[in-house]
Amino acid sequence: MATRALLNWLNELNPTTRAFAVLWTLSAGVYLLFALYRTIFGFKAGRKLPPGPWFHFPLLGDSVHLAAGNPVKFFFERFKRYGPVYRTQMLGSRIWVVADTGALRPPLNDQGAFMQIPFRSFRALMGEDSFIRETSFHGPWRKLFGSALGPPQLSALVPRIEAVMREHLAAWEAVGRINIFREARLLGLDLAVDVITRVDLPPDVDRAWFKGQVEVFLDGLVGLPLRLPGTALWRALAARERLVRVLVPHMAEQHARFTQEWKAAGEDVARYAAARQEQQTSCSGVTAATAATAPAPASPDDVSASTAAGAPASNASASNSSSSSSSSSSSPAGPPSMIEAQWAGWAAIGRGDLVQAAHSVLHLLVASGDTTRTALFNTWALLAVAPRVQDELFQEQKKVMEQHGPELSYQALCAMPYMDATMKECMRLLPAAFGGFRRLTADLPVGDYVIPAGEVIWYVTGLLHCLDPVLWDGDTSGYLPTHMDWQRNLEGAFRPERWLGGGGGGGGGSDGGSDGGKGQPGDVRPRTLSTFGMGSHLCLGMNLVYLEVKLLLALVLRKYRLRPETPDMLRRCRRLFPFFVPERGTDGVLLVPRAGEAAAVVAAA
Ligand code: HEM
C-alpha cells in the first residue's frame, strides 16, 4: 500500500525531481547500511563495546545537539544514560567520550595513544602530521618551548601585552561600552599576531588584512569537511595559501639562521634545546627553562600540578630582563622563541623546509588565537553578571596598588590570589577549550568495556568538571549539579572562593595567603581543572594566558564596574559549542566609572 502510494507520488514528479529523489533515497539507504555495517562488524568480535545512541545525524552527528544548548547538560544527560564511556559522532568522525580519569591516564601520557584532533576540516587545514606525537623527543621539545615562556620572558612580555590592551581600552573608553564578544576576538587576534607570534610582515602587507585572513583561517577549523566554493573550509584553505605566500619570502633569513643552528646542534632536539638554554643563561644571567617547563602532572586527575601552574608562580624570580621572546625578530643569541621551538619540532621529523616554517606560524596562531579570545570573553561574560566578584577583585587591586604601586608589573600580577582564583573558576565553569582527543594505538579497557585500537577518544572538559569527585555528590536526579549550573544559579556555581579554600570548605585564605573573597562552608577546592589539558601534553601557554587575562581585568576593573546591557545574557546564550557565542546583540557591557574610589587609590599608591 505504502509502496504503491510512493510509486504514484514518484510518477507524478517531473523527471528531474524524480531522478533527484531516487538518487537521494538510494544514497541515504547506502549510508544507513554502511553505518549499520560499521556498528555491527566494524570491530573485532568478542569484546564488549561501549554503548551510544543508535542514531546520529548524517555527517554532523552530535554537533547538531551541541550547537543549540548547554553542552555540559548534554554530556551529563549522556553520562546518566550510558555511564563514563560512550560512543558519539561529531562532524563526520566517530569518537568515544571517556569520563573515567583512571582509564584516561595511560592515553593522556602517550601510552597506547597519540594526540590527534579527528575533525577532517581541522586536519585539512593543519595537516595530518604532527611532531608532538614523537615521544622520543617530546620531553626535550617541551623544555625548549617552555623556555620561551619562563618568568623572565613572561615578565618581558607584560609591557607589550599592556600596550596592546591599552590601545583597545582607549577605544572602549571613548564610547563607554564594550561588545565583549567581538572585542575579545579582535584583542585575541592582536595579542596572537603582534605579541605571542610576533609576526613580522613585509612593509607592503597591511597588518589588518593579514589579521583578517587569520580570522578566516581560524573560522574554517571546526566545521563541516566540505571543500565546496563558499564553505568555511574552502575560504580557510584559500586564506591559508595567501598567508603562507606572504610569510615564506619574508621569514627566509630568520629560517636560514635557525637551520644553521639546528645543523650545528646535530639536528637533535635535546642538543638544540641545551644549546639555546646555554645562550640564554649567558645572555640574560637567568635560567628560565627550569621554571618555565610546567611539569606534566603525574596523572590526569592529579590536577594539583595543572592548577598550581595555572598562574604565574608568585615566588618566581621575575627578572626585568629585556630579552626578546619574539618569533620573527629574535636574534640567534637570545632565548629561543616559540616559533623556533616549533621549527625544531618539525625539523626533527624531516619537515624543516620554509613552507612548513610558515605553516608553523599558523599553528602557533591556532594554539593562541581563538583559545585566548575565548578565555578573555568567557571570563568577561561571567564577571559582567557577578558584581560581587568584581568588587572583591577591586578590593584586591587596591591592596596590590598599595604594595606595588600603580604599575602592572609581572611581580604585581603575581600577587593577585583572588584574581588567580577567579580565572580558575571561570575556566572551570566556561572552559576555553572543550577537551582533547587521542587516537588509540592499543585497545583501551574502560570499566567493563574495551575501546578498540584505531578509535578516537575524547575527554570532555565540562563533563569532567561536572563529575569532580570533590564537588559532586553523585546525585544524577537534578538538571545539573549546582557547581556547574551557572545558567540558572550563578551565585551558587560561580565561586572563586572555592580555589582559596582547603579540602574542608574553609573559605578564603589558604591559597597563596589571600584574604580576599568571602568563603562559605561549601567552598571546597575543586580537584579537577582540565581546561588546559592533563597528562604529558599539559598546555604550555597556560601561564601566558593567565597573565593576559589578569592584566586585562586589572586594567579595566581598577577603573570601572562592568554592567551588562542585557542582564540575562548568559541565560539567553544558545550556542556554547565549540565556543560560547552569545545571542546577537546581547554582548554589550557598560563601563561604569568607579569615580572617586579608583582615583583615591591611585593617588595613595
Ligand atoms: C585559554 C587558552 C588556551 C587553552 C584553553 C589551551 C588548551 C590546551 C589544551 C587543552 C592542551 C592539551 C591538548 C590535549 O591534551 O589534547 C594544550 C596544549 C598546548 N598548548 Fe594550549 N591552550 C591555550 C592557550 C595556549 C597558548 C596561548 C599557547 C602558546 C603560546 C598554547 C600552546 C600549547 C602547546 C604548545 C600545547 C602542546 C603541548 C604538548 O603537546 O606538550 N596554548 N592547550
Side-chain angles (χ1 to χ4, degrees), residues 335-359:
S337 66
M338 285 176 259
I339 200 68
E340 282 166 336
Q342 293 287 92
W343 290 350
W346 284 108
I349 59 165
R351 303 276 300 275
D353 58 288
L354 194 49
V355 172
Q356 184 58 47
H359 279 256

PDB file of all heavy atoms in Angstrom, residues 335-359:
ATOM      1  N   PRO A 335      67.215  34.108  23.932  1.00  0.00           N
ATOM      2  CA  PRO A 335      66.463  32.913  24.309  1.00  0.00           C
ATOM      3  C   PRO A 335      65.647  32.417  23.121  1.00  0.00           C
ATOM      4  O   PRO A 335      65.334  33.196  22.224  1.00  0.00           O
ATOM      5  CB  PRO A 335      65.553  33.412  25.433  1.00  0.00           C
ATOM      6  CG  PRO A 335      65.514  34.887  25.293  1.00  0.00           C
ATOM      7  CD  PRO A 335      66.773  35.303  24.629  1.00  0.00           C
ATOM      8  N   PRO A 336      65.323  31.131  23.103  1.00  0.00           N
ATOM      9  CA  PRO A 336      64.569  30.627  21.951  1.00  0.00           C
ATOM     10  C   PRO A 336      63.188  31.260  21.917  1.00  0.00           C
ATOM     11  O   PRO A 336      62.647  31.636  22.950  1.00  0.00           O
ATOM     12  CB  PRO A 336      64.460  29.135  22.236  1.00  0.00           C
ATOM     13  CG  PRO A 336      64.573  29.028  23.716  1.00  0.00           C
ATOM     14  CD  PRO A 336      65.474  30.132  24.149  1.00  0.00           C
ATOM     15  N   SER A 337      62.666  31.391  20.728  1.00  0.00           N
ATOM     16  CA  SER A 337      61.295  31.889  20.617  1.00  0.00           C
ATOM     17  C   SER A 337      60.383  30.686  20.428  1.00  0.00           C
ATOM     18  O   SER A 337      60.845  29.589  20.105  1.00  0.00           O
ATOM     19  CB  SER A 337      61.186  32.826  19.414  1.00  0.00           C
ATOM     20  OG  SER A 337      61.392  32.080  18.234  1.00  0.00           O
ATOM     21  N   MET A 338      59.086  30.916  20.640  1.00  0.00           N
ATOM     22  CA  MET A 338      58.135  29.812  20.483  1.00  0.00           C
ATOM     23  C   MET A 338      58.178  29.262  19.066  1.00  0.00           C
ATOM     24  O   MET A 338      58.102  28.062  18.846  1.00  0.00           O
ATOM     25  CB  MET A 338      56.728  30.306  20.812  1.00  0.00           C
ATOM     26  CG  MET A 338      56.497  30.490  22.279  1.00  0.00           C
ATOM     27  SD  MET A 338      54.879  31.167  22.604  1.00  0.00           S
ATOM     28  CE  MET A 338      55.256  32.878  22.887  1.00  0.00           C
ATOM     29  N   ILE A 339      58.351  30.163  18.103  1.00  0.00           N
ATOM     30  CA  ILE A 339      58.309  29.701  16.719  1.00  0.00           C
ATOM     31  C   ILE A 339      59.559  28.875  16.407  1.00  0.00           C
ATOM     32  O   ILE A 339      59.494  27.886  15.674  1.00  0.00           O
ATOM     33  CB  ILE A 339      58.117  30.880  15.731  1.00  0.00           C
ATOM     34  CG1 ILE A 339      57.581  30.359  14.399  1.00  0.00           C
ATOM     35  CG2 ILE A 339      59.356  31.672  15.481  1.00  0.00           C
ATOM     36  CD1 ILE A 339      56.213  29.829  14.461  1.00  0.00           C
ATOM     37  N   GLU A 340      60.688  29.250  16.985  1.00  0.00           N
ATOM     38  CA  GLU A 340      61.895  28.443  16.762  1.00  0.00           C
ATOM     39  C   GLU A 340      61.727  27.047  17.366  1.00  0.00           C
ATOM     40  O   GLU A 340      62.188  26.059  16.808  1.00  0.00           O
ATOM     41  CB  GLU A 340      63.120  29.148  17.340  1.00  0.00           C
ATOM     42  CG  GLU A 340      63.606  30.261  16.424  1.00  0.00           C
ATOM     43  CD  GLU A 340      64.586  31.209  17.098  1.00  0.00           C
ATOM     44  OE1 GLU A 340      64.566  31.319  18.337  1.00  0.00           O
ATOM     45  OE2 GLU A 340      65.362  31.848  16.376  1.00  0.00           O
ATOM     46  N   ALA A 341      61.049  27.014  18.510  1.00  0.00           N
ATOM     47  CA  ALA A 341      60.790  25.698  19.121  1.00  0.00           C
ATOM     48  C   ALA A 341      59.913  24.867  18.179  1.00  0.00           C
ATOM     49  O   ALA A 341      60.139  23.665  18.002  1.00  0.00           O
ATOM     50  CB  ALA A 341      60.110  25.885  20.472  1.00  0.00           C
ATOM     51  N   GLN A 342      58.937  25.528  17.566  1.00  0.00           N
ATOM     52  CA  GLN A 342      58.078  24.807  16.612  1.00  0.00           C
ATOM     53  C   GLN A 342      58.916  24.294  15.438  1.00  0.00           C
ATOM     54  O   GLN A 342      58.779  23.158  15.011  1.00  0.00           O
ATOM     55  CB  GLN A 342      56.995  25.746  16.050  1.00  0.00           C
ATOM     56  CG  GLN A 342      55.974  26.205  17.055  1.00  0.00           C
ATOM     57  CD  GLN A 342      55.019  25.088  17.425  1.00  0.00           C
ATOM     58  OE1 GLN A 342      55.268  24.379  18.374  1.00  0.00           O
ATOM     59  NE2 GLN A 342      53.955  24.907  16.685  1.00  0.00           N
ATOM     60  N   TRP A 343      59.774  25.144  14.923  1.00  0.00           N
ATOM     61  CA  TRP A 343      60.605  24.749  13.776  1.00  0.00           C
ATOM     62  C   TRP A 343      61.484  23.556  14.126  1.00  0.00           C
ATOM     63  O   TRP A 343      61.667  22.646  13.313  1.00  0.00           O
ATOM     64  CB  TRP A 343      61.478  25.922  13.320  1.00  0.00           C
ATOM     65  CG  TRP A 343      60.708  27.026  12.663  1.00  0.00           C
ATOM     66  CD1 TRP A 343      59.393  26.990  12.288  1.00  0.00           C
ATOM     67  CD2 TRP A 343      61.194  28.323  12.321  1.00  0.00           C
ATOM     68  NE1 TRP A 343      59.027  28.181  11.736  1.00  0.00           N
ATOM     69  CE2 TRP A 343      60.117  29.028  11.735  1.00  0.00           C
ATOM     70  CE3 TRP A 343      62.415  28.971  12.443  1.00  0.00           C
ATOM     71  CZ2 TRP A 343      60.229  30.337  11.277  1.00  0.00           C
ATOM     72  CZ3 TRP A 343      62.535  30.274  11.985  1.00  0.00           C
ATOM     73  CH2 TRP A 343      61.452  30.937  11.403  1.00  0.00           C
ATOM     74  N   ALA A 344      62.019  23.582  15.358  1.00  0.00           N
ATOM     75  CA  ALA A 344      62.883  22.462  15.771  1.00  0.00           C
ATOM     76  C   ALA A 344      62.076  21.168  15.760  1.00  0.00           C
ATOM     77  O   ALA A 344      62.567  20.125  15.317  1.00  0.00           O
ATOM     78  CB  ALA A 344      63.460  22.740  17.157  1.00  0.00           C
ATOM     79  N   GLY A 345      60.848  21.240  16.250  1.00  0.00           N
ATOM     80  CA  GLY A 345      59.997  20.042  16.267  1.00  0.00           C
ATOM     81  C   GLY A 345      59.779  19.505  14.859  1.00  0.00           C
ATOM     82  O   GLY A 345      59.926  18.305  14.588  1.00  0.00           O
ATOM     83  N   TRP A 346      59.462  20.418  13.923  1.00  0.00           N
ATOM     84  CA  TRP A 346      59.212  19.976  12.541  1.00  0.00           C
ATOM     85  C   TRP A 346      60.489  19.448  11.889  1.00  0.00           C
ATOM     86  O   TRP A 346      60.479  18.432  11.198  1.00  0.00           O
ATOM     87  CB  TRP A 346      58.623  21.119  11.700  1.00  0.00           C
ATOM     88  CG  TRP A 346      57.182  21.354  12.025  1.00  0.00           C
ATOM     89  CD1 TRP A 346      56.657  22.406  12.709  1.00  0.00           C
ATOM     90  CD2 TRP A 346      56.080  20.488  11.721  1.00  0.00           C
ATOM     91  NE1 TRP A 346      55.298  22.251  12.857  1.00  0.00           N
ATOM     92  CE2 TRP A 346      54.923  21.086  12.262  1.00  0.00           C
ATOM     93  CE3 TRP A 346      55.954  19.267  11.069  1.00  0.00           C
ATOM     94  CZ2 TRP A 346      53.658  20.510  12.141  1.00  0.00           C
ATOM     95  CZ3 TRP A 346      54.699  18.687  10.955  1.00  0.00           C
ATOM     96  CH2 TRP A 346      53.574  19.307  11.487  1.00  0.00           C
ATOM     97  N   ALA A 347      61.586  20.172  12.143  1.00  0.00           N
ATOM     98  CA  ALA A 347      62.851  19.737  11.538  1.00  0.00           C
ATOM     99  C   ALA A 347      63.214  18.336  12.017  1.00  0.00           C
ATOM    100  O   ALA A 347      63.748  17.524  11.258  1.00  0.00           O
ATOM    101  CB  ALA A 347      63.960  20.738  11.881  1.00  0.00           C
ATOM    102  N   ALA A 348      62.876  18.050  13.290  1.00  0.00           N
ATOM    103  CA  ALA A 348      63.230  16.742  13.842  1.00  0.00           C
ATOM    104  C   ALA A 348      62.503  15.604  13.131  1.00  0.00           C
ATOM    105  O   ALA A 348      62.965  14.471  13.157  1.00  0.00           O
ATOM    106  CB  ALA A 348      62.912  16.716  15.337  1.00  0.00           C
ATOM    107  N   ILE A 349      61.368  15.903  12.511  1.00  0.00           N
ATOM    108  CA  ILE A 349      60.707  14.824  11.767  1.00  0.00           C
ATOM    109  C   ILE A 349      60.889  15.024  10.253  1.00  0.00           C
ATOM    110  O   ILE A 349      60.080  14.583   9.433  1.00  0.00           O
ATOM    111  CB  ILE A 349      59.203  14.681  12.125  1.00  0.00           C
ATOM    112  CG1 ILE A 349      58.410  15.964  11.846  1.00  0.00           C
ATOM    113  CG2 ILE A 349      59.027  14.238  13.558  1.00  0.00           C
ATOM    114  CD1 ILE A 349      56.900  15.732  11.846  1.00  0.00           C
ATOM    115  N   GLY A 350      61.950  15.741   9.910  1.00  0.00           N
ATOM    116  CA  GLY A 350      62.308  15.883   8.492  1.00  0.00           C
ATOM    117  C   GLY A 350      61.449  16.870   7.730  1.00  0.00           C
ATOM    118  O   GLY A 350      61.342  16.803   6.515  1.00  0.00           O
ATOM    119  N   ARG A 351      60.831  17.815   8.454  1.00  0.00           N
ATOM    120  CA  ARG A 351      59.996  18.803   7.766  1.00  0.00           C
ATOM    121  C   ARG A 351      60.534  20.216   8.038  1.00  0.00           C
ATOM    122  O   ARG A 351      59.791  21.107   8.443  1.00  0.00           O
ATOM    123  CB  ARG A 351      58.549  18.682   8.260  1.00  0.00           C
ATOM    124  CG  ARG A 351      57.928  17.298   8.094  1.00  0.00           C
ATOM    125  CD  ARG A 351      57.348  17.107   6.700  1.00  0.00           C
ATOM    126  NE  ARG A 351      56.305  18.068   6.410  1.00  0.00           N
ATOM    127  CZ  ARG A 351      55.026  17.896   6.770  1.00  0.00           C
ATOM    128  NH1 ARG A 351      54.657  16.811   7.373  1.00  0.00           N
ATOM    129  NH2 ARG A 351      54.129  18.804   6.469  1.00  0.00           N
ATOM    130  N   GLY A 352      61.823  20.363   7.808  1.00  0.00           N
ATOM    131  CA  GLY A 352      62.445  21.639   8.138  1.00  0.00           C
ATOM    132  C   GLY A 352      62.425  22.648   7.002  1.00  0.00           C
ATOM    133  O   GLY A 352      63.198  23.602   7.004  1.00  0.00           O
ATOM    134  N   ASP A 353      61.531  22.489   6.026  1.00  0.00           N
ATOM    135  CA  ASP A 353      61.517  23.417   4.883  1.00  0.00           C
ATOM    136  C   ASP A 353      60.808  24.721   5.228  1.00  0.00           C
ATOM    137  O   ASP A 353      60.100  24.827   6.235  1.00  0.00           O
ATOM    138  CB  ASP A 353      60.856  22.749   3.679  1.00  0.00           C
ATOM    139  CG  ASP A 353      59.448  22.302   3.995  1.00  0.00           C
ATOM    140  OD1 ASP A 353      59.273  21.316   4.753  1.00  0.00           O
ATOM    141  OD2 ASP A 353      58.518  22.949   3.516  1.00  0.00           O
ATOM    142  N   LEU A 354      60.980  25.692   4.360  1.00  0.00           N
ATOM    143  CA  LEU A 354      60.477  27.038   4.617  1.00  0.00           C
ATOM    144  C   LEU A 354      58.943  27.103   4.604  1.00  0.00           C
ATOM    145  O   LEU A 354      58.328  27.849   5.374  1.00  0.00           O
ATOM    146  CB  LEU A 354      61.076  27.978   3.562  1.00  0.00           C
ATOM    147  CG  LEU A 354      60.980  29.475   3.796  1.00  0.00           C
ATOM    148  CD1 LEU A 354      61.439  29.865   5.183  1.00  0.00           C
ATOM    149  CD2 LEU A 354      61.799  30.216   2.747  1.00  0.00           C
ATOM    150  N   VAL A 355      58.336  26.322   3.727  1.00  0.00           N
ATOM    151  CA  VAL A 355      56.863  26.357   3.663  1.00  0.00           C
ATOM    152  C   VAL A 355      56.290  25.816   4.976  1.00  0.00           C
ATOM    153  O   VAL A 355      55.351  26.388   5.554  1.00  0.00           O
ATOM    154  CB  VAL A 355      56.342  25.545   2.456  1.00  0.00           C
ATOM    155  CG1 VAL A 355      54.837  25.409   2.494  1.00  0.00           C
ATOM    156  CG2 VAL A 355      56.781  26.201   1.153  1.00  0.00           C
ATOM    157  N   GLN A 356      56.873  24.740   5.465  1.00  0.00           N
ATOM    158  CA  GLN A 356      56.406  24.199   6.741  1.00  0.00           C
ATOM    159  C   GLN A 356      56.651  25.219   7.857  1.00  0.00           C
ATOM    160  O   GLN A 356      55.863  25.333   8.793  1.00  0.00           O
ATOM    161  CB  GLN A 356      57.133  22.884   7.052  1.00  0.00           C
ATOM    162  CG  GLN A 356      56.646  22.188   8.308  1.00  0.00           C
ATOM    163  CD  GLN A 356      55.161  21.868   8.288  1.00  0.00           C
ATOM    164  OE1 GLN A 356      54.644  21.350   7.310  1.00  0.00           O
ATOM    165  NE2 GLN A 356      54.459  22.217   9.361  1.00  0.00           N
ATOM    166  N   ALA A 357      57.746  25.982   7.725  1.00  0.00           N
ATOM    167  CA  ALA A 357      58.041  27.007   8.733  1.00  0.00           C
ATOM    168  C   ALA A 357      56.919  28.045   8.763  1.00  0.00           C
ATOM    169  O   ALA A 357      56.501  28.509   9.833  1.00  0.00           O
ATOM    170  CB  ALA A 357      59.378  27.669   8.417  1.00  0.00           C
ATOM    171  N   ALA A 358      56.416  28.401   7.584  1.00  0.00           N
ATOM    172  CA  ALA A 358      55.311  29.365   7.532  1.00  0.00           C
ATOM    173  C   ALA A 358      54.036  28.742   8.116  1.00  0.00           C
ATOM    174  O   ALA A 358      53.283  29.393   8.831  1.00  0.00           O
ATOM    175  CB  ALA A 358      55.079  29.801   6.090  1.00  0.00           C
ATOM    176  N   HIS A 359      53.825  27.469   7.833  1.00  0.00           N
ATOM    177  CA  HIS A 359      52.660  26.786   8.412  1.00  0.00           C
ATOM    178  C   HIS A 359      52.753  26.776   9.943  1.00  0.00           C
ATOM    179  O   HIS A 359      51.743  26.852  10.630  1.00  0.00           O
ATOM    180  CB  HIS A 359      52.554  25.349   7.887  1.00  0.00           C
ATOM    181  CG  HIS A 359      51.927  25.280   6.524  1.00  0.00           C
ATOM    182  ND1 HIS A 359      50.635  24.877   6.329  1.00  0.00           N
ATOM    183  CD2 HIS A 359      52.400  25.583   5.298  1.00  0.00           C
ATOM    184  CE1 HIS A 359      50.344  24.931   5.042  1.00  0.00           C
ATOM    185  NE2 HIS A 359      51.415  25.356   4.384  1.00  0.00           N
TER     186      HIS A 359
END
